[in-house]
Every structure is written in C-alpha cells, then in structure tokens.
Amino acid sequence: MTSKILVLKGDGIGPEIVNEALKVLGSVKDKFALDIEWQEALIGGSAYDALGTPLPGETMELAQAADAILLGAVGGPKWSGVDGSLRPEKGLLGLRSELDLFANFRPAILYPQLAQASSLKPELVSNLDILIVRELTGGIYFGQPRGIRTLDSGEREGFNTYVYSESEISRIAHIAFQAAQKRNKRLCSVDKANVLEVTVLWREVVSEIAKQYPDVELSHMYVDNAAMQLVRAPKQFDVLLTGNMFGDILSDVAAMLTGSIGMLPSASLNSENRGMYEPIHGTAPDIAGQGIANPLATILSVAMMFRYTFARPEVAEAIEQAVQKVLNEGLRTADIATASDTRVSTTEMGDAVVAALA
Ligand code: IPM
Ligand code: MG
C-alpha cells in the first residue's frame, strides 16, 4: 500500500527548507523505488492568513490519514498580535496533541566536520552524540486551567498549570529506557524535584520503571544543573529524559553544541510509530526569503522518518551519508560557515545532497 506523507511547509524559512527536503524525498523515492506519495496542506501563520485558523480542518483530516508528516516551522512576528488561541504555534501544538505524538526524539550529534562551528571548545564536543527524549503532549504546555485573568484589584494575572499524570510519565519513561538500551545504556531524567511536586512524582515514577530496565543506568538531575552540565561537559550524557518545557529549552542548548540549530532533526511519535518529522529550529523570520537557511535539519528529519515510521534504515542511512558527504566536500550554509568557508545557498545545499545520493 502506498505510504502517505503530509507536507506542511509552514512559515518563515519553512517553505524554503522543506522544498529542499522534498528534492531529497523525490531522489530516495526513485533510488529505492519507494511506494510513497505526498501532499501539501497549510499550517500555522500561513493557514491563519488564508483561512483564519492555524490548524484548518482539512489539514487535520489529512494529518489523521497520513502515515507521516513532514513539517517546516511555524510562527513569526507577523502574528504576534493574533489572539493566543489562533497563534501559529497552536497549529503545531494541536497536531501534536490530536495525533498523540507524545514521544519526541531530538538527537544532538556533532558532525566532526562542524566542530569549529560549535560554541564550545572542540575537545568538549568531539564525537558528541546525545539523545533528548522529550514528552510532547503534556506538562505545562497543555495543563488546564490556563489563561490571563483580571483580579478583583483590577490587576491582571497570567497562569498555567504544570501537570503530569502517572501514565503520561510512565509511557515516555519506557520510550526513554528503551532508547537508552539501544545506545550506551545511560539515562538521565531531568526534573525540578527540589521545588515542583509534579516533578517529585516524575522522579518517583521514572525510578519505579527503572526496575524493569536493570541494564540501563538511571540518574536524576535538576534542570538548572542539566543546563549547566550541557555546556560544561556535554559528553557525560547519553539519553536525557525531559518533560515538555524542559526539553524545549535543553534541546536548543544541545543544538548549539553541535554547531548550529540548523542541523538538528526531530521525530515526534505516537504509540504506533506514526509520526511528525521536523527540524527543531523555528521560522527564522530574520533570514526568511533570502535563500540562505540551512535545509540539513529538515533533510535529516526525512532520514528519521524512514528510520522510525517506515522502518527503512537503509534509506535513512543513505540520506545521512549524503549529508556527511556534502559536509566533507566543504559545503556550508551561513549558519555553519567559518570565515574561510565558501557559503552556499539553501537550494545549492539541497542540490548537493541530491547529487551525493545519486
Ligand atoms: C519546538 C518549538 C515549539 C515548542 C514551538 C514552535 C511551539 O520551539 O518544537 O521546540 O515549543 O515545542
Ligand atoms: Mg523549541
């Protein structure tokens, strides 16, 4: 049966980088004679502009019917004045939640060719390979009640709810332990159990589940310390398990360790490995439309799609090797270029990956 991919380009640099990823998708489709097809729909600010909502019903229906989703990025200053419930980000969060994509994988791998682009000294990041497993459909991002209310005094107050049920914690913990089993068997669970009850429970549940994975060494770390350790000695980590908000923050930190946020792909999976694949970076409105954005995180997200949803690791590896090859050849978009590098455009980078695949 033909596998269906829904393509959501989104806003800002989203369309530019997804176009390059689609070239790569077309190229592996031919090379491996894959039975796949894709279709585009609107999400985020561009959906809001066209249809008045960041997550149109048609997009949701196509997403439900798709085997996998490839997404660029959503959001931007253009929509900063839009009512909270209609902001572009709500489109992305709605998809994650409706499709129950609770397991977010964010690998932070340093390509040796990019060691110079890291914000840390090369010896601290050489061979860096961390996996952040982020809970994606719960926590403070989704907790109720939430809002902005006016108190009797006339002063306004904003409020959100940080809540995790035992089952939400346990299902992401299992995913993280299993991921650690396939790697270096070390799992660090991130919390703020010295202050927040919700993460006291998080720590308890994760510790309990650890008994089912005696081969994995579990540690716990407060999020502030984890942020510090990531920039002090990142190689101490193998798999990091985080809630939704801590994972959002720490994955941006981890991204910079690898040279550029423009390099990091992600997979967001439900319990059946149906998934959404997107770069972890945003819409970069400051460079949108200039043709200089780095498409590699999106291209590497396509690789993750073949590894996780389509269970075709050889396709994933072919894409990853093609990326290695263009980096070896010295091709660099502006974000990963040092002063002596020649800079290539978004499309030149995409074309080079396609050429490397051939
Ligand atoms: C991410 C992004 C999103 C998030 C935004 C765009 C809602 O920052 O995927 O890391 O906060 O999860
Ligand atoms: Mg983020």
Side-chain angles (χ1 to χ4, degrees):
M1 214 176 67
T2 308
S3 297
K4 288 199 188 70
I5 300 167
L6 179 65
V7 176
L8 304 171
K9 293 181 177 174
D11 312 318
I13 60 169
E16 300 162 49
I17 53 175
V18 172
N19 284 342
E20 301 313 306
L22 290 180
K23 285 184 193 165
V24 171
L25 195 57
S27 165
V28 292
K29 179 180 160 129
D30 294 344
K31 185 181 164 90
F32 292 89
L34 301 171
D35 191 9
I36 56 171
E37 62 182 28
W38 56 90
Q39 182 178 358
E40 281 180 36
L42 292 172
I43 184 113
S46 42
Y48 174 82
D49 288 348
L51 301 165
T53 165
L55 183 51
E58 196 208 7
T59 300
M60 196 62 236
E61 274 166 36
L62 290 167
Q64 300 275 14
D67 298 293
I69 301 169
L70 177 65
L71 183 130
V74 296
K78 182 177 177 198
W79 301 280
S80 57
V82 171
D83 178 70
S85 64
L86 293 172
R87 285 184 64 111
E89 290 81 358
K90 285 284 177 195
L92 176 59
L93 296 171
L95 270 182
R96 289 175 179 171
S97 165
E98 285 297 313
L99 301 175
D100 205 20
L101 306 173
F102 69 94
N104 184 215
F105 289 78
R106 300 193 158 191
I109 294 169
L110 181 94
Y111 288 88
Q113 302 90 331
L114 299 184
Q116 295 304 325
S118 174
S119 40
L120 295 192
K121 298 185 200 84
E123 63 269 26
L124 289 179
V125 290
S126 64
N127 302 316
L128 183 77
D129 182 351
I130 299 176
L131 175 65
I132 297 182
V133 176
R134 170 189 176 194
E135 199 291 328
L136 204 60
T137 53
I140 198 164
Y141 270 49
F142 291 94
Q144 295 288 348
R146 64 190 295 160
I148 298 173
R149 61 192 163 207
T150 305
L151 303 173
D152 290 343
S153 65
E155 188 189 14
R156 286 184 310 153
E157 166 180 273
F159 59 102
N160 287 88
T161 302
Y162 190 0
V163 56
Y164 269 119
S165 65
E166 285 185 280
S167 58
E168 283 177 306
I169 301 166
S170 90
R171 67 177 183 171
I172 192 68
H174 279 290
I175 299 277
F177 277 107
Q178 286 157 20
Q181 279 183 322
K182 295 189 198 125
R183 294 171 45 102
N184 291 323
K185 302 190 168 50
R186 284 183 295 115
L187 177 63
C188 178
S189 173
V190 176
D191 63 40
K192 189 69 186 174
N194 50 346
V195 180
L196 302 172
E197 286 81 356
V198 47
T199 72
V200 172
L201 181 68
W202 177 281
R203 191 178 278 222
E204 264 179 47
V205 173
V206 173
S207 302
E208 190 58 36
I209 288 170
K211 295 177 186 154
Q212 299 172 44
Y213 301 92
D215 54 331
V216 176
E217 183 196 315
L218 172 68
S219 60
H220 302 275
M221 200 178 273
Y222 298 142
V223 61
D224 49 351
N225 188 23
M228 179 176 78
Q229 296 301 334
L230 268 175
V231 292
R232 191 188 74 88
K235 284 196 269 182
Q236 69 186 280
F237 296 113
D238 178 22
V239 180
L240 280 160
L241 167 63
T242 74
N244 206 341
M245 182 168 61
F246 295 163
D248 178 45
I249 299 165
L250 295 182
S251 59
D252 270 30
V253 176
M256 272 327 286
L257 305 180
T258 71
S260 167
I261 196 163
M263 291 298 299
L264 260 67
S266 79
S268 308
L269 305 177
N270 74 2
S271 51
E272 276 108 50
N273 285 340
R274 274 210 319 149
M276 179 151 74
Y277 297 83
E278 50 175 319
I280 80 151
H281 60 69
T283 53
D286 52 324
I287 59 163
Q290 295 177 30
I292 59 169
N294 185 348
L296 292 181
T298 316
I299 290 170
L300 291 166
S301 299
V302 174
M304 288 188 92
M305 176 186 294
F306 284 101
R307 179 163 291 120
Y308 289 97
T309 291
F310 297 133
R312 294 290 299 264
E314 76 282 17
V315 180
E317 274 155 32
I319 297 171
E320 286 159 358
Q321 277 163 18
V323 168
Q324 292 271 5
K325 188 157 178 244
V326 301
L327 292 176
N328 282 335
E329 285 163 0
L331 276 83
R332 303 282 186 271
T333 42
D335 57 311
I336 49 175
T338 56
S340 58
D341 287 322
T342 343
R343 296 169 183 216
V344 299
S345 68
T346 308
T347 52
E348 283 167 331
M349 187 59 112
D351 290 342
V353 175
V354 168
L357 269 165

